[in-house]
Amino acid sequence: MRPTEATEEAARVLQLCSACMYCDGYCAVFPAIAGKRHIPLADIGHIANLCHNCRGCWYACQYAPPHPFAVNLPQALAAARQQSFADFARPRWLAKSFGRNPLVVAAVVGAVTLLALAAVLVSVPAETLLAVHRGDGAFYRVVPWGVMSAAAGLSFLWAVGALTASTLAFWRAIAPRKMPRKALRSALRPALSDIVSLKNLGGGGPGCNDVGEKFSRERRISHHGLVAGFLLTVLSTLSAAVWHHATGTPAPYPVLSLPVLSGMLGGVLMLAGIGGLAAVEMRADRAPSAAAEVRLNTVFLVLLGLVSASGLAVLALRETALMGLALTLHLGLVTGFFLVLPASKMVHAPYRAAALLRAAVDRIVSPPRRSGGE
Amino acid sequence: MSVTMETASGVDVLVAGGAAAGLCAAVAARRAGASVRLVEAAPRAFRGGNTRHARNFRIAHDGPAPWVPDTYGEDEFLADLLRVTEGDTDQALARLLIHASTGIAPWLADNGVRLQPLDSGVLPYSRRTVFLLGGGKAMTNALYATAAALGVTVSYGSELVGLRIGPDACAAEIAQDGTTEHVTAKTVVVATGGDQADPEALRAHFGEAAERIVVRGTPYATGRGLRLLHDAGASPMGETGRGHLVAVDARGPHVDGGIVTRITGIPYGIVVDRTGRRLADERADTRRTHYAQWGPRIAACPGQIAYLILDQEGLRRTAPTALPPVTAPTLAELARRLGIDPVALEATLGEFNEAALARQPATRPIRVTPFAAWPLLPGVTFTHVGIAVDGAMRVVMRDGSPAARVYAAGSIMAANVLRRGYLAGLGVTLAAVSGRIAGEKAARHAAD
């Protein structure tokens, strides 16, 4: 991480938090700073990504503004987190697209989608495009299988490659200097449990301050819905690929088949999760937020919403004259989505997973110093 | 939540003070069926008095619970209290309050207060105290939310400034934004805290030294409620001149610094005044309560300022602090930066280091550079004065009779049981227990 105003503010606030520690029951951030008289720059990125933006500490803070210490930990960590996304982005030129995220995402996804529509309009005769197609290979009469696989596959590989490179850069920066293999192995299970359960969106029991002073589980539940929906769409894609290659029967598949059912349920779950998260984002108290993070979240939710809604549209319209256009739109959006993925909110997932793994290792190698009250 | 101006508006129970004691009184009174009005002197952002800076509270219990392990008997609690107060306590009242502490954790939990589970965070083992998840401000947030949900009327920036106790009701004056509102209340609970944030009171307690004494907690503990009760004929309790004074970072805020400016690394270094002279043996007492002995020592120093001098070894052992220490490569440079006589400081440290190895057990000399230092001022947590109460938390008048319709809870009654010393977590316990009793009794009395 570069030393900036954001990292300096995070270090200042974290030092005050480390001297106080009243919030240690809320999440993994506080045990990670326990007993530390100074938070080194190298740890700021780690701690910023451990923070799940639960905001319990903001409402509980005896030093929140107008107190002269002006402690706003969720905001300070959100700003540092945004910087970590840019600083560890690989290839490095991706860093710039975090600063102008709405513009970059709209430009790339818009251009790819329009290009796909234009290509189909130019290359596919109108009577084919607007015909009702039924039976095996109906989709591929509009967009050939090779084109479809190449667009989705290559953009997907780019996304996975860039996200992996970014996450490795982040991990190298935050990995503990001394990390016995045994500790890493024993940390895997608790880390995985923290990642999958979103334990740190629990506020230590009562839930998070998603919207305001009242505790809620809205964000945690919506996030689980979104992730479950996303995994179901992955299952849909994989099962369709297996079906295609194992039986030689190309899509579309019957409604009561694994690819269609899982895709449908996945799409609906994703939309429900997106709706829940968007509702939280819109109503949330902005005092503990960082504007850049709100922008990144909003852009990602809109994008995910478009991808899942267009996927469901293909299913709904697949036996009508609009199938061709819906399919092209969905394909364009999916391709654009993968292209911008390494410069989107998506990076929070592997970074947070890495930070939770480091925290789990730390708990084994150097358990935090206990600290008490008055 | 603004209140419309009404002349002589009526309420069953008026609660003055919106920290743990007042909130527990308001919630308990409302649950007992009374109409309740709560006035809090602070604006909303700083509501909650010194509860905002609290962390844990002490309870007697005869078995483990999700928030506290093992057992801590009522007799053991009382023995601890007798030890720190050197027996100077109202034992009957102490027994009653300690007994009430056995039920206070579940009662608070039922009223929305989140207690920290034992296996979370980095809690030290503590069978005597329960930790508040998120600390005292989270506790007050929860109680304010519960009070509002129950229908307690709350006004901020509102202070009880006048009180007349009548045979059938009390006439209270409440000041808000320069206007005065007259409220008739069947009963009044005064839970406005101590007097430690009032400069005049501090002068009365600590003389000249008061000028430099840092107020660790809320600036709204001005002792106004205390004086009102005194003027209404209440019997005073406790002793002027006594208070809980600790060493705090001189560079911190002069008021409201809370826990983070407290300096706890004294046993790892030496403490000198500005002439370079040591105040006392820093290693004579290394218990967790040692810091309460240092406030009075610093208050007795020239200029009420002292300096904790550490080397890198000592610094390593020191708990995190809000502000980093002043550091210098040599002792002379450190002395220059702090404004201490460098020759005297060199001599003091030399003497300390020479004696250190001869000590039994041997003490680590202070010599690993760079040196570090914290400038220290005395910081007051609370003073040991208050108002006498009976077992129902009714204010006791100077003729020994209980006041007809006035109750006291929290710091304002603490001196009945705590006239010297301190026990960790006692403040919130006394507040919650006395507040709950006062609220229930005040509501019952109002219904008669």
Side-chain angles (χ1 to χ4, degrees):
Chain A
M1 296 262 286
R2 295 164 293 136
T4 61
E5 264 176 43
T7 59
E8 260 174 45
E9 174 62 4
R12 179 190 78 88
V13 170
L14 285 168
Q15 181 171 356
L16 281 158
C17 291
S18 173
C20 172
M21 288 301 278
Y22 282 18
C23 294
D24 73 316
Y26 281 135
C27 72
V29 165
F30 298 92
I33 59 170
K36 293 193 175 153
R37 282 188 305 102
H38 171 72
I39 312 295
L41 182 63
D43 281 357
I44 299 286
H46 163 55
I47 292 161
N49 281 282
L50 262 188
C51 167
H52 286 49
N53 195 22
C54 155
R55 303 136 73 96
C57 62
W58 163 253
Y59 295 96
C61 184
Q62 56 186 323
Y63 300 114
H67 192 282
F69 283 146
V71 169
N72 188 340
L73 188 62
Q75 189 176 66
L77 292 183
R81 191 158 57 236
Q82 292 303 304
Q83 191 193 318
S84 76
F85 291 174
D87 284 7
F88 296 107
R90 299 290 183 273
R92 286 176 196 272
W93 48 262
L94 274 178
K96 285 203 183 70
S97 28
F98 279 100
R100 297 169 303 194
N101 200 251
L103 195 73
V104 171
V105 168
V108 172
V109 176
V112 171
T113 308
L114 289 177
L115 205 69
L117 285 171
V120 165
L121 286 173
V122 169
S123 62
V124 182
E127 58 270 27
T128 314
L129 180 61
L130 296 173
V132 175
H133 300 274
R134 283 207 175 81
D136 296 351
F139 296 146
Y140 307 124
R141 272 169 245 152
V142 180
V143 183
W145 180 84
V147 175
M148 201 187 287
S149 317
L154 289 176
S155 59
F156 176 74
L157 283 180
W158 148 255
V160 170
L163 280 171
T164 306
S166 306
T167 306
L168 283 175
F170 177 67
W171 175 250
R172 272 194 297 273
I174 69 157
R177 253 167 273 294
K178 273 186 291 176
M179 185 171 51
R181 285 211 164 276
K182 199 162 155 258
L184 184 62
R185 267 201 309 276
S186 344
L188 283 176
R189 186 195 283 267
L192 192 68
S193 157
D194 290 348
I195 294 164
V196 172
S197 69
L198 297 175
K199 181 183 172 194
N200 289 280
L201 279 185
C208 286
N209 295 89
D210 295 327
V211 173
E213 206 175 280
K214 210 163 156 271
F215 293 96
S216 97
R217 288 181 172 79
E218 271 181 73
R219 209 149 68 86
R220 190 179 188 180
I221 291 168
S222 300
H223 194 289
H224 277 316
L226 174 55
V227 171
F230 178 75
L231 291 177
L232 281 170
T233 62
V234 171
L235 176 68
S236 164
T237 310
L238 289 179
S239 60
V242 169
W243 192 322
H244 182 115
H245 292 288
T247 67
T249 326
Y253 300 112
V255 171
L256 291 178
S257 66
L258 186 59
V260 176
L261 280 179
S262 56
M264 195 156 55
L265 184 63
V268 170
L269 262 178
M270 276 182 79
L271 281 179
I274 291 161
L277 290 173
V280 167
E281 203 66 66
M282 276 179 340
R283 290 174 298 145
D285 180 359
R286 290 278 183 259
S289 302
E293 183 158 273
V294 175
R295 271 200 301 278
L296 200 71
N297 292 351
T298 311
V299 167
F300 195 54
L301 287 175
V302 169
L303 192 57
L304 277 173
L306 287 173
V307 171
S308 16
S310 63
L312 286 175
V314 173
L315 185 67
L317 301 172
R318 69 181 189 170
E319 291 188 352
T320 73
L322 287 174
M323 180 276 277
L325 287 174
L327 180 68
T328 312
L329 182 71
H330 182 57
L331 184 65
L333 285 169
V334 167
T335 307
F337 172 73
F338 283 142
L339 287 178
V340 298
L341 208 56
S344 76
K345 172 80 180 181
M346 189 65 209
V347 295
H348 86 283
Y351 284 23
R352 200 155 272 158
L356 284 167
L357 179 60
R358 150 95 192 262
V361 171
D362 283 349
R363 282 200 294 271
I364 295 164
V365 177
S366 50
R369 237 197 251 182
R370 308 266 125 185
S371 70
E374 182 152 343
Chain B
M1 249 180 271
S2 68
V3 178
T4 50
M5 273 294 296
E6 279 173 66
T7 335
S9 57
V11 68
D12 290 339
V13 180
L14 173 68
V15 179
L23 287 164
C24 289
V27 166
R30 186 76 193 102
R31 284 204 185 278
S35 66
V36 181
R37 166 90 182 269
L38 184 145
V39 291
E40 160 67 335
R44 195 186 186 286
F46 289 124
R47 68 183 182 182
N50 279 340
T51 307
R52 196 158 57 82
H53 293 298
R55 176 61 164 129
N56 51 352
F57 60 97
R58 184 172 288 245
I59 57 162
H61 59 105
D62 52 17
W67 45 72
V68 67
D70 297 338
T71 64
Y72 182 52
E74 294 178 39
D75 290 339
E76 217 180 338
F77 192 153
L78 184 67
D80 283 338
L81 183 68
L82 290 172
R83 179 174 49 78
V84 296
T85 58
E86 296 166 31
D88 187 10
T89 187
D90 176 342
Q91 277 211 38
L93 189 64
R95 269 183 203 285
L96 182 145
L97 294 169
I98 287 169
H99 180 66
S101 82
T102 58
I104 202 67
W107 186 82
L108 288 170
D110 286 346
N111 284 300
V113 176
R114 272 84 179 184
L115 307 174
Q116 190 165 337
L118 289 175
D119 56 353
S120 72
V122 291
L123 286 185
Y125 170 83
S126 166
R127 69 187 176 93
R128 295 179 170 87
T129 65
V130 178
F131 283 75
L132 297 157
L133 181 62
K137 187 172 171 187
M139 176 192 194
T140 56
N141 287 346
L143 289 173
Y144 271 107
T146 301
L150 291 172
V152 173
T153 311
V154 175
S155 34
Y156 298 107
S158 305
E159 201 176 3
L160 180 68
V161 293
L163 181 64
R164 266 186 305 118
I165 311 168
D168 305 314
C170 295
E173 287 173 31
I174 293 161
Q176 184 184 27
D177 295 331
T179 61
T180 306
E181 184 189 357
H182 295 270
V183 175
T184 307
K186 289 182 183 154
T187 54
V188 176
V189 179
V190 183
T192 48
D195 64 354
Q196 69 276 4
D198 178 46
E200 249 176 68
L202 276 187
R203 257 195 303 280
H205 286 298
F206 305 111
E208 290 289 296
E211 297 295 325
R212 301 293 306 269
I213 290 177
V214 168
V215 177
R216 300 185 61 212
T218 178
Y220 298 93
T222 59
R224 190 150 199 176
L226 204 59
R227 288 193 297 277
L228 273 182
L229 289 177
H230 195 262
D231 294 347
S235 175
M237 186 53 80
E239 211 166 295
T240 303
R242 276 197 203 144
H244 186 257
L245 287 179
V246 307
V248 300
D249 193 325
R251 301 160 301 167
H254 202 74
V255 66
D256 218 16
I259 189 90
V260 298
T261 62
R262 185 182 71 183
I263 299 297
T264 56
I266 287 172
Y268 312 118
I270 58 167
V271 177
V272 299
D273 64 17
R274 64 188 180 197
T275 69
R277 184 186 58 92
R278 270 172 79 202
L279 311 189
D281 181 4
E282 298 82 3
R283 286 149 192 79
D285 181 0
T286 54
R287 286 171 304 171
R288 287 176 55 81
T289 50
H290 73 87
Y291 44 77
Q293 299 167 6
W294 284 90
R297 285 175 190 152
I298 297 165
C301 284
Q304 286 74 52
I305 191 151
Y307 305 87
L308 168 62
I309 313 283
L310 296 158
D311 69 351
Q312 287 300 306
E313 270 298 302
L315 195 57
R316 205 170 50 77
R317 287 157 212 262
T318 304
T321 50
L323 305 169
V326 177
T327 55
T330 65
L331 199 64
E333 175 62 16
L334 189 72
R336 195 187 63 75
R337 282 188 196 171
L338 299 171
I340 311 174
D341 176 358
V343 178
L345 184 60
E346 293 270 11
T348 301
L349 192 71
E351 231 170 84
F352 171 83
N353 283 347
E354 218 168 282
L357 295 170
R359 261 176 95 120
Q360 281 306 325
T363 303
R364 208 181 36 77
I366 295 171
R367 60 187 173 200
V368 186
T369 57
F371 291 108
W374 272 278
L376 309 174
L377 285 178
V380 62
T381 319
F382 57 87
T383 61
H384 286 288
V385 292
I387 289 297
V389 294
D390 67 7
M393 302 307 126
R394 269 187 306 187
V395 167
V396 175
M397 306 305 275
R398 280 197 279 276
D399 62 8
S401 68
R405 300 179 169 273
V406 182
Y407 297 75
S411 298
I412 207 165
M413 60 66 63
N416 286 272
V417 291
L418 192 76
R419 294 192 270 272
R420 66 172 74 222
Y422 187 62
L423 271 181
L426 194 60
V428 171
T429 299
L430 287 180
V433 167
S434 66
R436 182 186 176 189
I437 296 172
E440 282 166 0
K441 303 281 185 189
R444 206 167 307 157
H445 191 157
D448 283 345

